[in-house]
Amino acid sequence: MQTGNRSSALALALVVLIAPPAHATGGGIGPHEIVEAVRGYIQQIAQEPKPKPQAIQAAGPEGPSVDLSDLTQSERVERAVRHAVPATPNAETRLTVPNGQVRLGDFTIGSDQVINGHLLVLQGDANVYGRLLGNLVTLNGDVVVYPGGVVQGDILALNGQVLSRGGEIAGEASELTAPPPAPAGVHRGAISPAARVGLGLAGVFGVFLTALALGFGLVLFARPNLEIVSDTVTHSFGRAFMTGLVGQILVLPTFGMLVVGLILSVAGILLLPFAVAVYALLVLLGVVGGFLAVAHAIGETWTRRRMAKGAMLGSPNSYRYLGVGLAGLFALWFAWALFGWVPVAGALMRAAAVLVTWLLATVGFGAALLSRAGIREHFAGRLIPPEALT
């Protein structure tokens, strides 16, 4: 059944795409219909197969029940529906809605139909052509009110949308993204401190490995530029911080001036997407590259001080500098991952980690701007050219 739906949707999308535009033939299908057809086809592929439309029988006096008489508190209704409905509702599901009914799968109220009471639709869309004298709630489905359709009460779509195609909604229409129902025997609760520590350590370690890989790639392909930016951080720290701070303030105004300047000409409009992508890439490279240069400077300073004290650290190189510097920069984040579950200390440690990271990233960004990404050495403290030292 699902294969047939996908095939028909694909055929419809192809017909729409090859049909002549409306402005060319006087009829046909316009861009809006093309977008809607493609969107519907993608949704049919992405969504799970919907159950067969059928009625859900009422549960006994001791069975689950959901009251839909008041939808003003949408979160309360969502919790009630989530606890009463199993993870995968089917024909064997039993659920009671006082003064109402429950439907499984897509449900349509015909133009000549009048339904008294509330309506709950599970795992399907509710298409309203007639009249519903009550409230309407859908779980994992949309509500579509077509011309001539009337909903006298309120509408709540859980994991869906409320669409009015010319119909009348007397009450309030709201949408709520609800989590999927929990499987039987599984209770949702607060995450334990051990689980939070594990998740935090995994996240921080993943970011650390990513930064380390980017840094090693930068050393491999652009080590001279990285070293110049790193020296700029070491010898012009205050100047680099002020430059980075001003640069952060001027990022958006500069982008706006770039866009305005390009749209004033026909050639500029054509180059606008390319220019926007290049600008965003340059800003990202400046921030990430500058942060890695700060790590390189910290690692180099620490390594040289240890060697000055007589420590045997092997061959000092940029790879070692980056590894040591990044370990130092991520020390606060690892500490937060270990003790972030502590109520007050965790928040303070996170604030300190964010502040230190922003400060050093600002310094690195400013150093990258001052040295023109490692092309200029004026602020790197290299008063004597490297060639003169050989």
Side-chain angles (χ1 to χ4, degrees):
M1 185 67 177
Q2 182 67 15
T3 304
N5 292 337
R6 293 184 179 179
S7 300
S8 60
L10 177 59
L12 175 60
L14 292 177
V15 170
V16 170
L17 290 176
I18 64 177
H23 63 80
T25 62
I29 301 175
H32 177 72
E33 288 76 8
I34 295 177
V35 173
E36 289 295 331
V38 175
R39 176 176 176 270
Y41 171 65
I42 294 175
Q43 287 181 347
Q44 287 198 16
I45 293 179
Q47 292 177 352
E48 297 180 357
K50 292 184 178 180
K52 179 182 178 180
Q54 54 190 300
I56 295 294
Q57 301 297 326
E62 302 297 330
S65 177
V66 178
D67 185 9
L68 303 182
S69 59
D70 184 10
L71 302 185
T72 55
Q73 299 180 356
S74 58
E75 295 183 356
R76 180 189 63 80
V77 176
E78 177 269 322
R79 288 194 298 268
V81 173
R82 175 161 55 89
H83 288 295
V85 177
T88 55
N90 50 43
E92 303 299 327
T93 302
R94 296 293 180 263
L95 181 63
T96 300
V97 172
N99 191 26
Q101 58 178 300
V102 186
R103 304 291 303 194
L104 178 65
D106 295 339
F107 181 67
T108 300
I109 302 177
S111 58
D112 57 345
Q113 286 184 300
V114 178
I115 295 181
N116 292 295
H118 310 305
L119 177 62
L120 174 61
V121 179
L122 307 176
Q123 303 295 115
D125 300 335
N127 303 303
V128 182
Y129 293 90
R131 299 177 63 88
L132 175 64
L133 307 181
N135 296 331
L136 174 57
V137 177
T138 60
L139 177 63
N140 299 330
D142 300 334
V143 178
V144 186
V145 184
Y146 292 92
V150 178
V151 178
Q152 291 290 352
D154 298 333
I155 298 178
L156 174 60
L158 303 176
N159 287 343
Q161 295 180 322
V162 179
L163 306 174
S164 178
R165 302 298 189 190
E168 178 183 349
I169 302 175
E172 297 291 333
S174 57
E175 303 171 358
L176 182 63
T177 302
V186 177
H187 300 280
R188 300 180 186 270
I191 302 177
S192 63
R196 294 185 59 181
V197 170
L199 292 175
L201 287 176
V204 174
F205 190 68
V207 177
F208 172 76
L209 289 181
T210 303
L212 192 64
L214 292 176
F216 284 177
L218 196 59
V219 172
L220 183 62
F221 295 102
R223 183 174 62 182
N225 302 78
L226 176 64
E227 291 178 346
I228 293 176
V229 179
S230 176
D231 291 341
T232 304
V233 171
T234 303
H235 297 94
S236 304
F237 188 88
R239 190 191 299 268
F241 174 74
M242 294 304 300
T243 304
L245 190 62
V246 174
Q248 292 178 8
I249 298 174
L250 296 179
V251 164
L252 290 181
T254 305
F255 177 74
M257 293 175 60
L258 174 65
V259 172
V260 172
L262 288 175
I263 64 176
L264 293 179
S265 62
V266 177
I269 295 177
L270 297 177
L271 294 175
L272 183 60
F274 175 76
V276 170
V278 171
Y279 182 83
L281 181 62
L282 290 177
V283 173
L284 181 62
L285 289 176
V287 175
V288 176
F291 185 78
L292 294 175
V294 172
H296 186 279
I298 293 175
E300 183 178 5
T301 301
W302 183 86
T303 302
R304 292 188 181 279
R305 288 182 178 179
R306 290 291 305 276
M307 294 180 64
K309 295 179 180 180
M312 301 299 295
L313 300 178
S315 175
N317 53 65
S318 294
Y319 295 102
R320 175 187 293 274
Y321 299 157
L322 266 175
V324 173
L326 285 175
L329 292 179
F330 278 85
L332 278 176
W333 287 107
F334 279 109
W336 167 78
L338 289 173
F339 304 102
W341 55 274
V342 181
V344 178
L348 293 177
M349 294 181 67
R350 181 177 182 178
V354 171
L355 180 61
V356 171
T357 302
W358 170 81
L359 173 65
L360 297 181
T362 302
V363 173
F365 184 52
L369 294 178
L370 286 176
S371 62
R372 303 297 190 271
I375 298 176
R376 295 181 57 188
E377 302 182 10
H378 293 48
F379 302 95
R382 298 185 176 185
L383 302 180
I384 303 177
E387 294 79 6
L389 302 177
T390 58

